[in-house]
Amino acid sequence: MHRREFFSQSAAWLTATAGLQLAGCQLKPALPEAADWQALQRSFQGQLLFPANALFSRFAKAANSRFDAIQPALIARPKLAADVQLVLVFARQFQLPLVGRCGGHNYAGYSCTPGILLDVALMDQIELQGETAWVGAGAKLGDVYFQLSQQGRSIPAGSCVGVGISGLTLGGGMGMADRKYGLTCDALLEAELVTVDGVLLRCSEQQNPELFWGLRGGGGGQFGVVTRLKFRTFPVAEVLSCHAYFQFDQALPVLNLWQHWSRQLPRELWSQAAFWWTEDQRKAPVLQIRVSSLGATKELQQQWATWLRRLPAQPFEQDVVLHDYAEYMLSDCAGLEMGQCKLPHQSDQARLRRVAMAGSSDFFRGAMPKAGLDALLDAVRQRQQQGHSGGILLTLMGGAIRDLAHDDTAFAHRAADFCAQYLVSRPVGTEEKQLQQADLWMGQMRRTMAPWSTGGAYLNYTDPLLSNWPQAYYADHYPRLQRLKRQYDPGSVLQFSQSIKED
């Protein structure tokens, strides 16, 4: 190492150490010295980025721009499981704060830290072996859909192409194929995980089955860092999608009919009712009803025709379109190459835009009575009339989601008929007080809908204001998850505001 380079790197190490001091670490033993950082760097095969590095600011930012002010002291971007082992052992040795990141969409910013950011994005290999697929923990959902569909296969998952596969899977994973093929975590056959003491474990029904149970719905960054995931895949099929749009003053009878009708749909069909509105008080919210199928096109055509005949009010717009599977799942990528269909921290060709997000959720069993629907619509109307944008999505569950028993995985909401997502998405640079107000609104939504909801909340729609989050996310599974935390992360090396507590 040249003398100038040595002094530059030494300054970077000192900066990182100072950053860790500012993070408020109670460090025992002492903070790492230059020789410790050098030893880590010599053995590390990926990228270690200090604040002075030209790439640092790009990779420091998560998908959710709300937390851009939280800057890590060091970004570790492993290429191999051995790199993850090195960083976890290093963090544990010096008791340094560390969080993992795959996509960075967390509503609460739990993949941001003033300590060490372990960004697994370089671990993004995707390999199909017959009807199973090994997927690196850093792969983005768009790439998973693209690469697997090129070979005629796919996995049940969500719709946001920039989401990281590991966070999506470990929290459950809901999407348009889940009623036919189950949640993303239900398709998981095996996971490789590095524990906080640097041990690489394989987890499946046969190996470390209790830990495998916890990884399917218990959330990411709780018991270790996942490096690879093995999935059961399904054959792709054409997707028929049907949409209908209704004026807000027609929403009550339409929504009431939809919730009763949709619960009777065969599992091949998926449906969602959504309200979207802007801050423009002159434009009333619009109700959108969506139904789609993987194959089963005749079944959906018949069901859709029946639905339209039964409607108490006709839509002001509707469409029925047959899609190629990849085209439908990658609709956010329309007109873009896959390298462009990324967020800025995911590709230097990126064309997708980051936003500032806040969200929360509810689960419902059975159809809501008129009083519940009235409460929901009144809340939408008030939010819009106050000049605030937002969205509410009611997504049909059931079908294959219920094929597994309540205790088969850590996902605790299999009995629900609907999941509600409350969402606010604003441009980069939106003032934090606006997003805090959105947090409060979503908390009020949960209180408003409490008489009809289960009280549960979806872990992947993380709500930082949930006071009863262990019960809301995990229900009666929480004590079992606590035992796993004590076993695999004693001392809570991996921790954030809503991480599982040892006791």
Side-chain angles (χ1 to χ4, degrees):
M1 182 180 288
H2 295 298
R3 185 171 182 270
R4 179 181 298 174
E5 185 180 352
F6 172 80
F7 283 118
S8 175
Q9 193 72 305
S10 297
W13 291 323
L14 290 172
T15 300
T17 300
L20 292 166
Q21 288 176 319
L22 291 173
C25 313
Q26 301 299 314
L27 300 168
K28 301 174 185 178
L31 281 163
E33 298 179 351
D36 302 307
W37 292 112
Q38 287 175 317
L40 176 64
Q41 189 169 57
R42 280 196 302 269
S43 303
F44 198 78
Q45 298 299 302
Q47 295 175 319
L48 290 181
L49 303 179
F50 296 92
N53 190 289
L55 295 174
F56 183 89
S57 61
R58 174 182 157 196
F59 292 124
K61 292 182 173 66
N64 190 352
S65 69
R66 182 176 181 179
F67 304 100
D68 283 356
I70 302 175
Q71 292 289 296
L74 169 70
I75 304 173
R77 307 185 80 224
K79 288 181 64 177
L80 310 167
D83 288 341
V84 178
Q85 292 173 291
L86 285 170
V87 173
L88 284 173
V89 169
F90 189 85
R92 188 182 187 200
Q93 176 185 355
F94 294 103
Q95 298 188 22
L96 309 179
L98 176 147
V99 299
R101 175 186 292 171
C102 180
H105 287 74
N106 190 280
Y107 289 145
Y110 293 154
S111 61
C112 299
T113 178
I116 296 176
L117 173 61
L118 184 59
D119 178 0
V120 298
L122 296 179
M123 305 177 71
D124 61 353
Q125 297 78 16
I126 300 167
E127 181 183 1
L128 184 66
Q129 301 173 348
E131 295 185 356
T132 62
W134 275 105
V135 180
K140 305 305 178 284
L141 185 56
D143 290 320
V144 175
Y145 282 147
F146 178 76
Q147 293 190 37
L148 293 184
S149 66
Q150 295 300 298
Q151 302 172 77
R153 310 294 296 185
S154 193
I155 62 171
S159 59
C160 181
V161 294
V163 162
I165 189 63
S166 51
L168 173 74
T169 304
L170 300 177
M174 293 194 288
M176 64 83 64
D178 57 19
R179 284 174 43 79
K180 187 172 183 179
Y181 293 110
L183 303 169
T184 313
C185 70
D186 300 342
L188 186 64
L189 299 173
E190 188 173 341
E192 290 183 355
L193 174 141
V194 177
T195 65
V196 295
D197 53 359
V199 176
L200 180 64
L201 299 178
R202 298 189 76 160
C203 308
S204 66
E205 294 283 8
Q206 292 73 41
Q207 296 177 279
N208 303 297
E210 184 67 6
L211 180 55
F212 185 59
W213 173 88
L215 293 178
R216 290 174 292 165
Q222 300 281 13
F223 316 114
V225 174
V226 168
T227 56
R228 285 206 307 165
L229 304 133
K230 183 180 182 181
F231 292 102
R232 178 190 306 111
T233 68
F234 62 80
V236 301
E238 290 181 315
V239 176
L240 183 66
S241 65
C242 304
H243 299 78
Y245 301 86
F246 301 86
Q247 303 291 352
F248 189 71
D249 58 7
Q250 300 170 330
L252 178 60
V254 173
L255 196 58
N256 183 53
L257 176 63
W258 171 79
Q259 64 174 348
H260 288 282
W261 169 73
S262 64
R263 291 173 63 223
Q264 308 305 315
L265 290 174
R267 63 176 55 199
E268 289 81 10
L269 308 186
W270 171 90
S271 189
Q272 185 180 76
F275 293 98
W276 296 103
W277 63 94
T278 69
E279 59 270 23
D280 188 343
Q281 297 167 291
R282 299 167 298 176
K283 296 181 180 179
V286 169
L287 169 62
Q288 178 195 55
I289 301 293
R290 303 172 58 195
V291 190
S292 61
S293 69
L294 278 170
T297 56
K298 290 184 178 178
E299 178 71 26
L300 176 50
Q301 288 169 343
Q302 293 169 356
Q303 291 282 353
W304 187 248
T306 300
W307 152 256
L308 291 175
R309 285 196 301 268
R310 295 176 58 192
L311 278 173
Q314 288 302 301
F316 66 82
E317 182 182 341
Q318 65 158 309
D319 59 65
V320 178
V321 182
L322 186 63
H323 303 267
D324 171 79
Y325 176 84
E327 171 209 346
Y328 184 80
M329 303 310 295
L330 297 170
S331 58
D332 287 348
C333 301
L336 301 176
E337 301 292 333
M338 286 309 298
Q340 298 171 324
C341 189
K342 297 284 191 301
L343 295 165
H345 64 293
Q346 297 170 353
S347 170
D348 56 9
Q349 306 169 52
R351 295 282 187 87
L352 300 184
R353 295 182 179 179
R354 300 165 66 240
V355 293
M357 301 177 284
S360 191
S361 60
D362 264 321
F363 287 98
F364 299 90
R365 290 193 191 125
M368 274 186 276
K370 181 178 182 298
L373 296 177
D374 282 338
L376 178 70
L377 296 174
D378 285 345
V380 171
R381 184 183 297 106
Q382 290 176 21
R383 171 80 177 170
Q384 190 269 340
Q385 290 177 348
Q386 292 167 358
H388 299 298
S389 63
I392 295 179
L393 291 77
L394 295 171
T395 302
L396 179 66
M397 296 178 65
I401 298 172
R402 291 189 184 147
D403 286 351
L404 295 183
H406 173 72
D407 291 333
D408 284 347
T409 70
F411 183 81
H413 311 288
R414 294 188 182 276
D417 289 288
F418 302 99
C419 176
Q421 181 183 13
Y422 311 123
L423 176 65
V424 171
S425 178
R426 301 291 298 159
V428 173
T430 296
E431 292 184 7
E432 174 61 16
K433 65 180 181 181
Q434 292 187 38
L435 296 162
Q436 291 174 352
Q437 192 279 334
D439 287 335
L440 294 174
W441 168 67
M442 286 178 280
Q444 182 58 50
M445 283 301 309
R446 281 183 53 83
R447 290 187 291 274
T448 296
M449 302 310 296
W452 307 281
S453 74
T454 67
Y458 182 34
L459 180 61
N460 283 352
Y461 300 154
T462 313
D463 182 345
L465 298 187
L466 281 179
S467 59
N468 66 333
W469 59 267
Q471 175 66 26
Y473 294 146
Y474 305 113
D476 57 346
H477 290 160
Y478 190 65
R480 189 172 171 183
L481 290 165
Q482 286 183 294
R483 292 193 290 273
L484 282 171
K485 186 71 170 179
R486 285 194 296 271
Q487 179 178 354
Y488 289 100
D489 187 15
S492 295
V493 172
L494 302 170
Q495 60 177 308
F496 43 90
S497 295
Q498 291 181 350
S499 57
I500 296 166
K501 314 304 178 194
E502 293 182 55
D503 49 33

